[in-house]
Coordinates of all heavy atoms in Angstrom, one line a residue:
M1280 N 0.8 -1.2 0.0 CA 0.0 0.0 0.0 C 0.9 1.2 0.0 O 1.9 1.3 0.8 CB -0.9 0.0 1.2 CG -1.7 1.2 1.4 SD -2.7 1.1 2.8 CE -4.3 1.2 2.2
T1281 N 0.6 2.2 -0.9 CA 1.4 3.4 -0.9 C 0.7 4.5 -0.1 O -0.5 4.6 0.0 CB 1.6 3.9 -2.4 OG1 0.3 4.1 -2.9 CG2 2.3 2.8 -3.2
R1282 N 1.6 5.3 0.5 CA 1.0 6.4 1.3 C 0.7 7.6 0.4 O 1.4 7.8 -0.6 CB 2.1 6.8 2.4 CG 2.3 5.7 3.3 CD 3.3 6.1 4.4 NE 2.6 7.1 5.2 CZ 3.2 7.8 6.2 NH1 4.5 7.5 6.5 NH2 2.6 8.7 6.9
Y1283 N -0.2 8.4 0.8 CA -0.6 9.6 0.1 C 0.5 10.6 0.2 O 1.0 10.9 1.3 CB -1.9 10.2 0.6 CG -2.2 11.5 0.0 CD1 -2.7 11.6 -1.3 CD2 -2.1 12.7 0.8 CE1 -3.0 12.9 -1.8 CE2 -2.4 13.9 0.3 CZ -2.8 14.0 -1.0 OH -3.1 15.2 -1.5
Q1284 N 1.0 11.1 -1.0 CA 2.0 12.1 -1.0 C 1.4 13.4 -1.5 O 0.9 13.5 -2.6 CB 3.2 11.7 -1.9 CG 3.9 10.5 -1.5 CD 4.8 10.8 -0.3 OE1 5.3 11.9 -0.1 NE2 5.0 9.8 0.5
P1285 N 1.3 14.4 -0.6 CA 0.7 15.7 -1.1 C 1.6 16.3 -2.2 O 2.8 16.1 -2.2 CB 0.7 16.6 0.1 CG 1.7 16.0 1.0 CD 1.8 14.5 0.7
N1286 N 1.0 17.1 -3.0 CA 1.8 17.8 -4.1 C 2.8 18.7 -3.4 O 2.4 19.4 -2.5 CB 0.9 18.6 -5.0 CG 0.0 17.6 -5.9 OD1 0.4 16.5 -6.1 ND2 -1.1 18.1 -6.4
P1287 N 4.0 18.8 -3.9 CA 4.9 19.8 -3.4 C 4.4 21.2 -3.6 O 3.6 21.5 -4.5 CB 6.2 19.5 -4.1 CG 5.8 18.8 -5.4 CD 4.5 18.1 -5.1
E1288 N 4.9 22.1 -2.8 CA 4.6 23.5 -2.9 C 5.0 24.0 -4.3 O 6.1 23.7 -4.8 CB 5.3 24.4 -1.9 CG 4.8 24.1 -0.5 CD 3.4 24.7 -0.3 OE1 3.1 25.7 -0.8 OE2 2.7 24.0 0.4
P1289 N 4.1 24.7 -5.0 CA 4.5 25.2 -6.3 C 5.6 26.3 -6.2 O 5.6 27.1 -5.2 CB 3.2 25.9 -6.8 CG 2.3 26.1 -5.7 CD 2.8 25.1 -4.6
T1290 N 6.5 26.2 -7.1 CA 7.6 27.2 -7.1 C 7.3 28.2 -8.2 O 6.8 27.8 -9.3 CB 8.9 26.6 -7.2 OG1 9.0 25.8 -8.5 CG2 9.2 25.6 -6.1
I1291 N 7.7 29.4 -8.0 CA 7.6 30.4 -9.0 C 9.0 30.8 -9.5 O 9.8 31.3 -8.7 CB 6.9 31.7 -8.5 CG1 5.5 31.3 -8.0 CG2 6.9 32.8 -9.5 CD1 4.8 32.5 -7.3
A1292 N 9.2 30.5 -10.7 CA 10.5 30.8 -11.3 C 10.5 32.2 -11.8 O 9.7 32.6 -12.6 CB 10.9 29.8 -12.4
I1293 N 11.5 33.0 -11.4 CA 11.6 34.4 -11.9 C 12.8 34.4 -12.8 O 13.9 34.1 -12.4 CB 11.8 35.3 -10.7 CG1 10.6 35.3 -9.8 CG2 12.1 36.7 -11.2 CD1 10.8 36.1 -8.5
S1294 N 12.5 34.7 -14.1 CA 13.6 34.8 -15.0 C 14.4 36.0 -14.7 O 14.1 36.9 -14.0 CB 13.0 34.9 -16.4 OG 12.4 36.2 -16.6
E1295 N 15.6 36.0 -15.3 CA 16.6 37.0 -15.1 C 16.1 38.4 -15.6 O 16.3 39.4 -15.0 CB 17.9 36.7 -15.8 CG 19.0 37.6 -15.5 CD 20.3 37.2 -16.1 OE1 20.6 36.0 -16.1 OE2 21.1 38.1 -16.5
S1296 N 15.3 38.3 -16.7 CA 14.7 39.6 -17.2 C 13.6 40.2 -16.3 O 13.4 41.4 -16.4 CB 14.2 39.4 -18.6 OG 13.1 38.5 -18.6
Q1297 N 13.0 39.4 -15.5 CA 12.0 39.9 -14.6 C 12.5 40.4 -13.2 O 11.8 41.0 -12.5 CB 10.9 38.8 -14.3 CG 10.1 38.5 -15.6 CD 9.1 37.4 -15.3 OE1 9.3 36.5 -14.4 NE2 8.0 37.4 -16.0
S1298 N 13.8 40.1 -13.0 CA 14.3 40.5 -11.7 C 14.6 42.0 -11.7 O 14.7 42.6 -12.8 CB 15.6 39.7 -11.4 OG 16.6 40.0 -12.4
L1299 N 14.7 42.5 -10.6 CA 15.0 44.0 -10.5 C 16.4 44.3 -11.0 O 17.4 43.5 -10.7 CB 14.9 44.4 -9.0 CG 13.5 44.4 -8.5 CD1 13.5 44.8 -7.0 CD2 12.5 45.2 -9.3
L1300 N 16.5 45.3 -11.7 CA 17.8 45.7 -12.3 C 18.4 46.8 -11.5 O 17.7 47.7 -11.0 CB 17.7 46.1 -13.7 CG 17.2 45.1 -14.7 CD1 17.0 45.7 -16.1 CD2 18.2 43.9 -14.8
A1301 N 19.7 46.8 -11.4 CA 20.4 47.9 -10.6 C 20.3 49.2 -11.4 O 20.3 49.2 -12.6 CB 21.9 47.5 -10.5
P1302 N 20.1 50.3 -10.6 CA 19.9 51.6 -11.2 C 21.0 52.0 -12.2 O 20.8 52.6 -13.2 CB 19.8 52.5 -10.1 CG 19.4 51.7 -8.9 CD 20.0 50.3 -9.2
D1303 N 22.3 51.7 -11.8 CA 23.4 52.0 -12.7 C 23.4 51.3 -14.0 O 23.8 51.8 -15.0 CB 24.7 51.9 -12.0 CG 25.0 50.5 -11.4 OD1 24.0 49.7 -11.2 OD2 26.1 50.1 -11.2
L1304 N 22.9 50.0 -14.0 CA 22.7 49.2 -15.2 C 21.7 49.8 -16.1 O 21.9 50.0 -17.3 CB 22.4 47.8 -14.8 CG 22.3 46.8 -15.9 CD1 23.7 46.6 -16.6 CD2 21.7 45.5 -15.4
I1305 N 20.6 50.2 -15.6 CA 19.5 50.9 -16.3 C 20.0 52.2 -16.9 O 19.8 52.6 -18.0 CB 18.3 51.1 -15.5 CG1 17.6 49.8 -15.1 CG2 17.3 52.1 -16.2 CD1 16.9 49.1 -16.3
R1306 N 20.8 53.0 -16.1 CA 21.3 54.3 -16.5 C 22.3 54.1 -17.7 O 22.2 54.9 -18.6 CB 22.0 54.9 -15.3 CG 22.3 56.4 -15.5 CD 22.9 57.0 -14.2 NE 22.2 56.8 -13.0 CZ 22.6 56.0 -12.0 NH1 23.8 55.4 -12.1 NH2 21.9 55.8 -11.0
A1307 N 23.1 53.1 -17.6 CA 24.1 52.9 -18.7 C 23.4 52.4 -20.0 O 23.7 52.9 -21.1 CB 25.1 51.8 -18.3
A1308 N 22.4 51.6 -19.9 CA 21.6 51.1 -21.0 C 20.8 52.3 -21.6 O 20.8 52.5 -22.8 CB 20.7 50.0 -20.6
R1309 N 20.2 53.1 -20.8 CA 19.5 54.3 -21.2 C 20.4 55.3 -21.9 O 20.0 55.9 -22.9 CB 18.7 54.9 -20.1 CG 17.7 56.0 -20.5 CD 17.1 56.7 -19.4 NE 16.4 55.7 -18.5 CZ 16.3 55.8 -17.2 NH1 16.9 56.8 -16.6 NH2 15.7 54.9 -16.5
S1310 N 21.6 55.4 -21.4 CA 22.5 56.4 -22.0 C 22.9 55.9 -23.4 O 23.0 56.7 -24.4 CB 23.8 56.5 -21.1 OG 24.7 57.3 -21.8
A1311 N 23.2 54.6 -23.6 CA 23.6 54.1 -24.9 C 22.4 54.2 -25.9 O 22.6 54.6 -27.0 CB 24.0 52.6 -24.8
Y1312 N 21.2 54.0 -25.4 CA 20.0 54.1 -26.3 C 19.8 55.6 -26.6 O 19.5 55.9 -27.8 CB 18.8 53.5 -25.6 CG 17.6 53.6 -26.4 CD1 17.5 52.9 -27.7 CD2 16.5 54.4 -26.1 CE1 16.4 53.0 -28.5 CE2 15.4 54.5 -26.8 CZ 15.3 53.8 -28.0 OH 14.2 53.9 -28.8
S1313 N 20.0 56.5 -25.7 CA 19.8 57.9 -26.0 C 20.8 58.4 -27.0 O 20.5 59.2 -27.9 CB 20.0 58.7 -24.7 OG 19.9 60.1 -24.9
I1314 N 22.1 58.0 -26.9 CA 23.1 58.3 -27.9 C 22.7 57.8 -29.3 O 22.8 58.5 -30.3 CB 24.5 57.8 -27.5 CG1 24.9 58.6 -26.3 CG2 25.5 57.9 -28.6 CD1 26.2 58.0 -25.6
Y1315 N 22.2 56.6 -29.3 CA 21.7 56.0 -30.6 C 20.6 56.8 -31.2 O 20.6 57.1 -32.4 CB 21.3 54.6 -30.4 CG 20.6 53.9 -31.6 CD1 21.4 53.5 -32.7 CD2 19.2 53.8 -31.6 CE1 20.8 53.0 -33.8 CE2 18.6 53.2 -32.7 CZ 19.4 52.8 -33.8 OH 18.8 52.3 -34.9
L1316 N 19.7 57.3 -30.4 CA 18.6 58.1 -30.9 C 19.1 59.4 -31.4 O 18.6 59.9 -32.5 CB 17.5 58.3 -29.8 CG 16.7 57.2 -29.4 CD1 15.8 57.6 -28.2 CD2 15.8 56.7 -30.5
N1317 N 20.0 60.0 -30.8 CA 20.5 61.3 -31.2 C 21.3 61.2 -32.6 O 21.2 62.1 -33.4 CB 21.4 61.9 -30.2 CG 20.7 62.4 -29.0 OD1 19.5 62.8 -29.1 ND2 21.3 62.4 -27.8
V1318 N 22.1 60.1 -32.7 CA 22.9 60.0 -33.9 C 22.1 59.4 -35.1 O 22.3 59.8 -36.2 CB 24.1 59.0 -33.6 CG1 24.9 58.7 -34.8 CG2 25.0 59.7 -32.6
H1319 N 21.2 58.5 -34.8 CA 20.5 57.7 -35.9 C 19.0 58.0 -35.9 O 18.2 57.1 -36.2 CB 20.7 56.2 -35.8 CG 22.2 55.9 -35.9 ND1 22.9 55.9 -37.0 CD2 23.0 55.5 -34.9 CE1 24.1 55.5 -36.8 NE2 24.2 55.2 -35.5
S1320 N 18.6 59.2 -35.6 CA 17.1 59.5 -35.5 C 16.4 59.3 -36.8 O 15.2 59.0 -36.8 CB 16.9 60.9 -35.0 OG 17.5 61.8 -35.9
E1321 N 17.0 59.5 -38.0 CA 16.3 59.4 -39.2 C 16.2 57.9 -39.7 O 15.3 57.6 -40.4 CB 17.1 60.2 -40.3 CG 17.0 61.7 -40.0 CD 17.7 62.5 -41.1 OE1 18.1 61.9 -42.1 OE2 17.9 63.7 -40.9
Q1322 N 17.1 57.1 -39.4 CA 17.1 55.7 -39.8 C 16.9 54.7 -38.7 O 17.6 53.7 -38.6 CB 18.3 55.4 -40.6 CG 19.6 55.7 -39.9 CD 20.8 55.5 -40.7 OE1 20.7 55.2 -41.9 NE2 22.0 55.6 -40.1
M1323 N 16.1 55.1 -37.7 CA 16.0 54.3 -36.5 C 15.4 52.9 -36.7 O 14.3 52.8 -37.2 CB 15.2 55.1 -35.5 CG 15.3 54.6 -34.1 SD 14.4 55.7 -32.9 CE 13.0 54.7 -32.7
Q1324 N 16.1 51.9 -36.2 CA 15.6 50.6 -36.1 C 15.2 50.4 -34.6 O 15.8 51.0 -33.7 CB 16.6 49.5 -36.5 CG 16.9 49.5 -38.0 CD 17.9 48.4 -38.3 OE1 18.9 48.4 -37.7 NE2 17.5 47.5 -39.1
H1325 N 14.3 49.4 -34.4 CA 13.9 49.1 -33.0 C 14.9 48.1 -32.4 O 14.8 46.9 -32.9 CB 12.5 48.6 -33.0 CG 11.9 48.4 -31.6 ND1 11.6 49.5 -30.8 CD2 11.7 47.3 -30.9 CE1 11.2 49.0 -29.6 NE2 11.2 47.7 -29.7
P1326 N 15.7 48.4 -31.5 CA 16.6 47.4 -30.9 C 15.9 46.5 -30.0 O 14.8 46.8 -29.4 CB 17.6 48.3 -30.1 CG 16.9 49.5 -29.7 CD 15.9 49.7 -30.8
T1327 N 16.5 45.3 -29.8 CA 15.9 44.3 -28.8 C 16.3 44.7 -27.4 O 15.7 44.3 -26.4 CB 16.2 42.9 -29.1 OG1 17.6 42.7 -29.2 CG2 15.6 42.5 -30.4
G1328 N 17.5 45.4 -27.3 CA 18.0 45.7 -26.0 C 19.4 46.3 -26.1 O 19.9 46.6 -27.1
V1329 N 20.0 46.3 -24.9 CA 21.4 46.9 -24.8 C 22.2 45.9 -23.9 O 21.7 45.5 -22.9 CB 21.4 48.3 -24.1 CG1 22.8 48.8 -23.9 CG2 20.6 49.3 -24.9
V1330 N 23.4 45.6 -24.4 CA 24.3 44.8 -23.6 C 25.3 45.8 -22.9 O 25.9 46.6 -23.5 CB 25.2 43.8 -24.5 CG1 26.3 43.2 -23.7 CG2 24.3 42.8 -25.1
V1331 N 25.3 45.6 -21.5 CA 26.1 46.6 -20.7 C 27.3 45.8 -20.1 O 27.0 44.7 -19.5 CB 25.3 47.2 -19.6 CG1 26.1 48.1 -18.8 CG2 24.1 48.0 -20.3
S1332 N 28.5 46.3 -20.2 CA 29.6 45.7 -19.6 C 29.7 46.2 -18.1 O 29.6 47.3 -17.9 CB 30.9 46.1 -20.3 OG 32.0 45.7 -19.6
H1333 N 29.9 45.2 -17.2 CA 30.0 45.6 -15.8 C 31.3 46.4 -15.5 O 31.3 47.2 -14.6 CB 30.0 44.4 -14.9 CG 28.6 43.7 -14.8 ND1 27.6 44.3 -14.0 CD2 28.1 42.7 -15.4 CE1 26.5 43.6 -14.1 NE2 26.8 42.6 -14.9
R1334 N 32.3 46.1 -16.2 CA 33.6 46.8 -15.9 C 33.6 48.3 -16.3 O 34.0 49.1 -15.6 CB 34.8 46.1 -16.6 CG 35.1 44.8 -16.0 CD 36.3 44.2 -16.8 NE 36.7 43.0 -16.2 CZ 37.4 42.1 -16.8 NH1 37.7 42.2 -18.0 NH2 37.7 41.0 -16.2
S1335 N 33.1 48.5 -17.5 CA 33.2 49.9 -18.0 C 31.8 50.6 -18.0 O 31.8 51.8 -18.3 CB 33.8 49.9 -19.4 OG 32.9 49.2 -20.3
D1336 N 30.7 50.0 -17.8 CA 29.4 50.5 -17.9 C 29.1 51.1 -19.3 O 28.3 51.9 -19.5 CB 29.2 51.6 -16.9 CG 29.0 51.1 -15.5 OD1 28.6 49.9 -15.4 OD2 29.2 51.8 -14.5
R1337 N 29.8 50.5 -20.3 CA 29.5 50.9 -21.7 C 28.4 50.0 -22.2 O 28.4 48.8 -21.9 CB 30.8 50.8 -22.5 CG 31.8 51.8 -22.1 CD 33.0 51.7 -23.0 NE 32.6 52.1 -24.4 CZ 33.4 52.0 -25.4 NH1 34.6 51.4 -25.3 NH2 33.0 52.4 -26.6
G1338 N 27.5 50.6 -23.0 CA 26.4 49.8 -23.6 C 26.6 49.7 -25.1 O 27.1 50.6 -25.8
Q1339 N 26.1 48.6 -25.6 CA 26.1 48.3 -27.0 C 24.7 47.9 -27.4 O 24.2 46.9 -26.8 CB 27.1 47.2 -27.4 CG 27.1 46.8 -28.8 CD 27.6 47.9 -29.7 OE1 28.6 48.5 -29.4 NE2 27.0 48.0 -30.9
L1340 N 24.0 48.6 -28.3 CA 22.7 48.2 -28.8 C 22.7 46.9 -29.5 O 23.6 46.7 -30.3 CB 22.1 49.3 -29.7 CG 21.3 50.3 -28.9 CD1 22.1 51.3 -28.1 CD2 20.3 51.1 -29.8
I1341 N 21.7 46.1 -29.3 CA 21.6 44.8 -29.9 C 20.3 44.7 -30.7 O 19.2 45.1 -30.2 CB 21.6 43.7 -28.9 CG1 22.9 43.7 -28.0 CG2 21.4 42.3 -29.5 CD1 24.1 43.5 -28.8
F1342 N 20.4 44.2 -32.0 CA 19.2 44.1 -32.8 C 18.9 42.7 -33.1 O 17.8 42.4 -33.6 CB 19.5 44.9 -34.1 CG 19.7 46.3 -33.9 CD1 20.9 46.9 -33.8 CD2 18.6 47.2 -33.9 CE1 21.1 48.2 -33.6 CE2 18.8 48.5 -33.7 CZ 20.0 49.1 -33.5
A1343 N 19.7 41.7 -32.6 CA 19.4 40.3 -32.8 C 18.5 39.8 -31.7 O 18.4 40.4 -30.6 CB 20.7 39.5 -32.7
S1344 N 17.8 38.8 -32.0 CA 16.8 38.3 -31.0 C 17.5 37.5 -29.9 O 17.0 37.4 -28.8 CB 15.7 37.4 -31.7 OG 16.3 36.3 -32.3
Q1345 N 18.6 36.8 -30.2 CA 19.3 36.0 -29.2 C 20.7 36.6 -29.0 O 21.7 36.1 -29.7 CB 19.4 34.6 -29.6 CG 18.0 33.9 -29.6 CD 17.5 33.7 -28.3 OE1 18.2 33.5 -27.3 NE2 16.2 33.7 -28.2
P1346 N 21.0 37.5 -28.1 CA 22.3 38.1 -28.0 C 23.3 37.1 -27.3 O 22.8 36.3 -26.5 CB 22.1 39.3 -27.1 CG 20.9 39.0 -26.3 CD 20.0 38.2 -27.2
V1347 N 24.5 37.1 -27.7 CA 25.5 36.3 -27.1 C 26.3 37.2 -26.1 O 26.9 38.2 -26.5 CB 26.5 35.7 -28.2 CG1 27.6 34.9 -27.5 CG2 25.7 34.8 -29.1
L1348 N 26.3 36.8 -24.9 CA 27.0 37.6 -23.8 C 28.3 37.1 -23.4 O 28.5 35.9 -23.3 CB 26.1 37.7 -22.6 CG 24.7 38.3 -22.8 CD1 23.9 38.3 -21.5 CD2 24.7 39.7 -23.4
L1349 N 29.3 38.0 -23.2 CA 30.5 37.6 -22.7 C 30.5 37.6 -21.2 O 29.6 38.2 -20.6 CB 31.6 38.5 -23.2 CG 31.8 38.6 -24.7 CD1 32.8 39.7 -25.1 CD2 32.3 37.3 -25.2
P1350 N 31.4 37.0 -20.5 CA 31.4 37.1 -19.0 C 31.5 38.5 -18.6 O 32.3 39.3 -19.2 CB 32.7 36.3 -18.6 CG 32.9 35.4 -19.8 CD 32.5 36.1 -21.0
G1351 N 30.7 38.9 -17.6 CA 30.8 40.3 -17.1 C 29.8 41.2 -17.9 O 29.8 42.4 -17.7
E1352 N 29.0 40.7 -18.8 CA 28.0 41.5 -19.5 C 26.6 41.1 -19.1 O 26.3 40.0 -18.7 CB 28.2 41.3 -21.0 CG 29.4 41.8 -21.6 CD 29.5 41.6 -23.1 OE1 28.8 40.7 -23.7 OE2 30.2 42.4 -23.7
R1353 N 25.7 42.1 -19.2 CA 24.3 41.9 -18.8 C 23.5 42.5 -19.9 O 23.7 43.6 -20.4 CB 24.1 42.6 -17.5 CG 22.6 42.6 -17.0 CD 22.2 41.2 -16.5 NE 20.8 41.2 -16.4 CZ 20.2 41.4 -15.2 NH1 20.8 41.6 -14.1 NH2 18.9 41.3 -15.2
F1354 N 22.4 41.8 -20.3 CA 21.5 42.2 -21.3 C 20.3 42.9 -20.7 O 19.7 42.3 -19.8 CB 21.0 41.0 -22.2 CG 20.1 41.4 -23.3 CD1 20.6 42.1 -24.4 CD2 18.8 41.0 -23.3 CE1 19.8 42.5 -25.4 CE2 18.0 41.4 -24.3 CZ 18.4 42.1 -25.4
V1355 N 20.0 44.1 -21.1 CA 18.8 44.8 -20.7 C 17.9 45.0 -21.9 O 18.3 45.5 -22.9 CB 19.2 46.2 -20.2 CG1 18.0 47.0 -19.6 CG2 20.3 46.1 -19.1
T1356 N 16.7 44.4 -21.7 CA 15.8 44.5 -22.9 C 15.2 45.9 -23.1 O 15.3 46.7 -22.2 CB 14.5 43.6 -22.6 OG1 13.8 44.1 -21.5 CG2 15.0 42.1 -22.4
F1357 N 14.8 46.1 -24.3 CA 14.3 47.5 -24.6 C 13.0 47.8 -23.8 O 12.9 48.9 -23.3 CB 13.9 47.5 -26.1 CG 13.4 48.9 -26.5 CD1 14.2 50.0 -26.6 CD2 12.0 49.0 -26.8 CE1 13.7 51.2 -27.0 CE2 11.5 50.3 -27.2 CZ 12.4 51.4 -27.3
D1358 N 12.2 46.8 -23.5 CA 11.1 47.0 -22.6 C 11.5 47.5 -21.2 O 10.8 48.3 -20.6 CB 10.2 45.7 -22.5 CG 9.6 45.4 -23.8 OD1 9.3 46.3 -24.7 OD2 9.3 44.2 -24.0
E1359 N 12.6 46.9 -20.7 CA 13.0 47.3 -19.4 C 13.6 48.8 -19.4 O 13.3 49.5 -18.5 CB 14.1 46.4 -18.9 CG 13.6 45.0 -18.5 CD 14.7 44.0 -18.3 OE1 15.8 44.1 -19.0 OE2 14.5 43.1 -17.5
I1360 N 14.2 49.1 -20.5 CA 14.7 50.5 -20.6 C 13.6 51.4 -20.7 O 13.5 52.5 -20.1 CB 15.6 50.6 -21.9 CG1 16.9 49.8 -21.7 CG2 16.0 52.1 -22.1 CD1 17.7 49.6 -23.0
E1361 N 12.6 51.1 -21.6 CA 11.5 52.0 -21.8 C 10.6 52.1 -20.6 O 10.1 53.2 -20.3 CB 10.6 51.4 -23.0 CG 9.6 52.3 -23.5 CD 8.9 51.7 -24.7 OE1 8.4 50.6 -24.6 OE2 8.8 52.4 -25.7
S1362 N 10.4 51.1 -19.8 CA 9.6 51.1 -18.6 C 10.2 52.0 -17.5 O 9.5 52.6 -16.7 CB 9.3 49.7 -18.0 OG 10.5 49.2 -17.5
Q1363 N 11.5 52.1 -17.5 CA 12.2 53.0 -16.5 C 12.3 54.4 -17.0 O 12.7 55.3 -16.2 CB 13.6 52.4 -16.3 CG 13.6 51.0 -15.7 CD 13.2 51.0 -14.3 OE1 13.3 51.9 -13.5 NE2 12.6 49.9 -13.9
M1364 N 12.0 54.7 -18.3 CA 12.1 56.1 -18.8 C 11.0 57.0 -18.3 O 11.2 58.2 -18.3 CB 12.3 56.0 -20.3 CG 13.6 55.4 -20.8 SD 13.7 55.4 -22.6 CE 14.3 57.0 -22.9
Y1365 N 9.8 56.4 -18.1 CA 8.7 57.3 -17.8 C 8.2 57.2 -16.3 O 8.4 56.3 -15.7 CB 7.5 56.9 -18.7 CG 7.9 57.0 -20.1 CD1 8.1 55.9 -20.9 CD2 8.2 58.3 -20.7 CE1 8.5 56.0 -22.2 CE2 8.5 58.4 -22.0 CZ 8.7 57.2 -22.8 OH 9.1 57.3 -24.1

């Protein structure tokens, strides 16, 4: 006879993109996006996000759907940048 096993507590997985981002990371991503807007305002493409280096806080706009990150880099989606702008 087997004993009744209650279902384990449900766990909520929080993806990295849903976690809170550090203000300096958002600031660096927003700065890179702002520079892009100023330079390329006439031929603007919609980026998927910005890759920010932890060492230098420099941002690089990304237009690919699956960015490849190096160690020490963090991807900030365009939605995260936009939600923090207003």
